[in-house]
Amino acid sequence: MDTSPSALLRVFLPKVPFIARTVLWHQLSLSKTSCQWDLRTEITINLIRSLLDSPNPAPLSKTQRWSVKDPGIKGPMWIAKVTLPRPDEDDVRSVLVDAIESLKGADVVYTAPAILPVEAEWTGYRANVRHDRPRLDLSEDQHYQNLMSEVSSPITILYLHGGVHYMMDPSSHRLPVSRLARLTNGRCLSVRYRLSPQDAFPCALLDVFLTYLSLLHPPPGSYHEPVAAKNVVLAGDSAGGNLAFALVQLILEINRSRTIGSLVFHGQPIEFPLPVPAGASSSSPWLDLSRCMPSVLSNVQWDYLPPPDGVDPVSRFPHDKIWPTDPPRGDLYCDLTMLDHPLVSPLAAKDWTKSCPMYFCSGEEMLADEGKAVASVAAKQGVPVVWEQYEAMPHCFPMLLEHLEAGRKGFKNWAAFCAKAGASSNDDDDDDDAEARLETKGTWFAAKTCKETAIDVRTLAVCTMEEVAERMGSAIRARMQGQEGEAKILPKL
């Protein structure tokens, strides 16, 4: 992301009158959120909201290009850039396509993607370094060796950045990812998965699946040694959380349908069933791409995401070289027929049996209800689930509001889950080791004080699974009929 002074000035200078008005309303207690937010939070959230909900958004290609611009590497972090090679075999793609087919409901439209090399960044904490210290002039292998010299835990976090599936990059998330590495004493592998709309579902999921297998079974020339699944914790924010839980559901579906045999990966057989990771965790996961749950409207006051008010913001993007797609489709990430597929919207998944432990950090945000539903279903099916929700906090607040106690606590608790889930160092530990260390627990944190109140994860859901399916179906039909969103401006497929 371009964070140069000139770029920031171009963005924020026109917002000066808006900021002044926000300050005035807050000081006079005229804003609806001033009772729970401090002035800095009020300015931050309202400013982000105004940028995301602009009536004249930039073309998608320009927004995407700005969001992936590398700001450079400096300060207390080790970064080692790697490219994970594609396997010669087609097995990885084949099992993914089989899982998509076995989980689909009615007819769906998607294209099986090509298997491509995946770029990623090994990320670790670099101790005793000033924040303006430049990166050392070393080879990537040397950077990796230096990174590993400061790692004291077996934990490897597979990190998946957020960005609505069409923005952001490992370079935009280096600060929070290196912070996770520091708090866990481990290392992170941050994935540069393919972005939409150029590379629609299931391209990103295929990239993430290939990366997970590459951790467990390193391709020739890899810097790392094989990592045990019991030491791999998935982590992601927003759309990255979507991919984390979609990967878990993918592995579960592969194991449900393939109890014997193997897939071939870089010439080596990987036996079924595939091992699940030690945990899956997310800050504000986006688990429902149909945006059908009640909190999408009821929690607008505390969030900055644009509400689905009949015109999805992406429908207002000017036509450019990447949007609309050719042939056109009704959503940036996938065809409209795929919106209720469990690997697109994990909210739709009915079976989380044998999943790894899960962690959810949510604000009182627009995506809260979809997280509650997944957490509740998984907990009822015996999966250890940690659910933490913070009153009056917006989407991804631990990464935005570090000055607040809620922001600091949310991030530390996220890291603590990762550390606990992936801490096993005993080769003789059985597959239930992480489950033995983690118990289902729900907590509500009050605004300002962060006073804790215990809640029952199993009763979190505001809708039954039948009601969820009905709401998703209605939302999809409305999109297909052109009543909202991108479908307004696109011909039907």
Side-chain angles (χ1 to χ4, degrees):
M1 183 182 296
D2 189 354
T3 57
S4 64
S6 60
L8 295 177
L9 190 63
R10 287 194 300 270
V11 172
F12 294 116
L13 188 59
K15 297 293 182 180
V16 170
F18 174 83
I19 294 172
R21 185 169 64 252
T22 300
V23 172
L24 179 62
W25 278 59
H26 180 84
Q27 297 291 56
L28 297 177
S29 299
L30 295 175
S31 77
K32 296 179 180 179
T33 53
S34 60
C35 59
Q36 302 287 26
W37 288 352
D38 63 4
L39 178 58
R40 181 173 171 181
T41 301
E42 188 100 48
I43 293 173
T44 301
I45 301 309
N46 281 303
L47 190 57
I48 297 174
R49 184 184 291 151
S50 71
L51 293 171
L52 293 180
D53 203 22
S54 170
N56 299 301
L60 268 175
S61 58
K62 182 178 180 180
T63 303
Q64 187 180 88
R65 188 167 58 251
W66 173 81
S67 74
V68 302
K69 187 173 181 179
D70 194 329
I73 301 169
K74 61 182 179 180
M77 65 178 73
W78 290 110
I79 301 293
K81 301 177 182 180
V82 295
T83 299
L84 304 171
R86 68 174 304 280
D88 293 332
E89 308 85 8
D90 195 50
D91 293 26
V92 173
R93 184 175 70 162
S94 294
V95 296
L96 169 60
V97 171
D98 288 349
I100 293 172
E101 290 294 314
S102 62
L103 286 170
K104 74 178 184 180
D107 291 339
V108 295
V109 177
Y110 70 97
T111 300
I115 308 175
L116 298 179
V118 178
E119 294 181 359
E121 293 185 354
W122 282 108
T123 305
Y125 179 63
R126 186 182 174 192
N128 303 315
V129 171
R130 299 190 314 272
H131 287 275
D132 60 350
R133 181 75 176 271
R135 190 187 193 212
L136 297 176
D137 185 15
L138 302 171
S139 69
E140 298 300 333
D141 181 41
Q142 289 172 316
H143 279 290
Y144 180 76
Q145 297 306 322
N146 282 326
L147 181 157
M148 290 302 297
S149 71
E150 299 198 41
V151 170
S152 59
S153 165
I155 297 164
T156 296
I157 295 175
L158 178 56
Y159 196 87
L160 309 169
H161 67 82
V164 210
H165 292 301
Y166 75 88
M167 293 191 299
M168 305 301 181
D169 181 84
S171 65
S172 64
H173 280 61
R174 286 178 185 141
L175 285 175
V177 175
S178 62
R179 189 179 174 197
L180 279 176
R182 175 175 62 84
L183 292 173
T184 60
N185 297 311
R187 58 181 174 172
C188 304
L189 184 62
S190 186
V191 185
R192 182 168 287 115
Y193 56 82
R194 280 174 277 183
L195 298 177
S196 56
Q198 305 96 309
D199 294 297
F201 174 88
C203 290
L205 184 56
L206 177 60
D207 292 345
V208 172
F209 186 35
L210 183 148
T211 304
Y212 178 67
L213 294 180
S214 296
L215 281 176
L216 276 53
H217 304 274
S222 297
Y223 296 153
H224 67 285
E225 298 295 322
V227 184
K230 63 188 176 186
N231 296 134
V232 177
V233 180
L234 309 180
D237 60 284
S238 193
N242 171 288
L243 289 171
F245 288 102
L247 176 61
V248 173
Q249 188 58 219
L250 170 62
I251 294 171
L252 294 177
E253 179 57 28
I254 291 171
N255 291 345
R256 286 190 288 261
S257 59
R258 299 170 184 260
T259 57
I260 59 172
S262 63
L263 66 83
V264 182
F265 187 68
H266 292 288
Q268 300 298 318
I270 301 177
E271 300 295 328
F272 297 122
L274 300 178
V276 295
S281 64
S282 181
S283 174
S284 301
W286 186 22
L287 303 174
D288 170 29
L289 270 66
S290 76
R291 306 190 77 194
C292 73
M293 297 297 278
S295 61
V296 170
L297 293 176
S298 62
N299 288 354
V300 167
Q301 174 178 334
W302 306 110
D303 214 340
Y304 53 79
L305 298 177
D309 58 356
V311 180
D312 194 322
V314 296
S315 68
R316 301 200 299 271
F317 279 110
H319 289 209
D320 66 355
K321 62 183 180 181
I322 67 172
W323 185 257
T325 54
D326 184 19
R329 63 173 183 269
D331 187 84
L332 288 177
Y333 185 59
C334 64
D335 185 78
L336 292 177
T337 60
M338 296 293 296
L339 288 179
D340 61 350
H341 192 285
L343 299 183
V344 171
S345 294
L347 171 66
K350 297 181 176 65
D351 189 359
W352 293 98
T353 307
K354 298 185 179 180
S355 169
C356 57
M358 299 177 174
Y359 173 83
F360 300 81
C361 177
S362 175
E364 197 172 357
E365 59 180 288
M366 294 164 64
L367 306 189
D369 283 352
E370 54 210 67
K372 288 179 179 180
V374 173
S376 180
V377 169
K380 288 178 181 177
Q381 294 173 351
V383 179
V385 177
V386 178
W387 169 269
E388 297 184 348
Q389 187 172 16
Y390 292 74
E391 182 183 14
M393 287 292 99
H395 187 63
C396 291
F397 67 93
M399 305 171 72
L400 293 172
L401 305 176
E402 294 181 45
H403 70 287
L404 295 180
E405 174 64 18
R408 294 189 296 271
K409 184 179 286 290
F411 203 99
K412 288 179 180 178
N413 288 0
W414 184 10
F417 171 88
C418 294
K420 196 170 185 179
S424 175
S425 59
N426 185 348
D427 292 337
D428 296 326
D429 284 343
D430 60 31
D431 292 337
D432 296 327
D433 192 57
E435 284 85 343
R437 293 191 300 274
L438 293 161
E439 297 180 350
T440 293
K441 180 182 179 182
T443 309
W444 168 267
F445 295 85
K448 296 185 178 180
T449 65
C450 282
K451 181 181 178 181
E452 300 181 16
T453 302
I455 52 179
D456 187 353
V457 179
R458 296 167 186 82
T459 61
L460 279 175
V462 299
C463 301
T464 66
M465 284 304 295
E466 291 76 17
E467 290 169 337
V468 167
E470 183 178 343
R471 295 180 74 95
M472 294 185 85
S474 296
I476 293 169
R477 287 191 295 273
R479 293 277 293 275
M480 288 181 170
Q481 293 166 9
Q483 294 176 6
E484 72 164 327
E486 300 92 325
K488 275 193 163 187
I489 60 168
L490 297 177
K492 303 299 181 291
L493 290 174

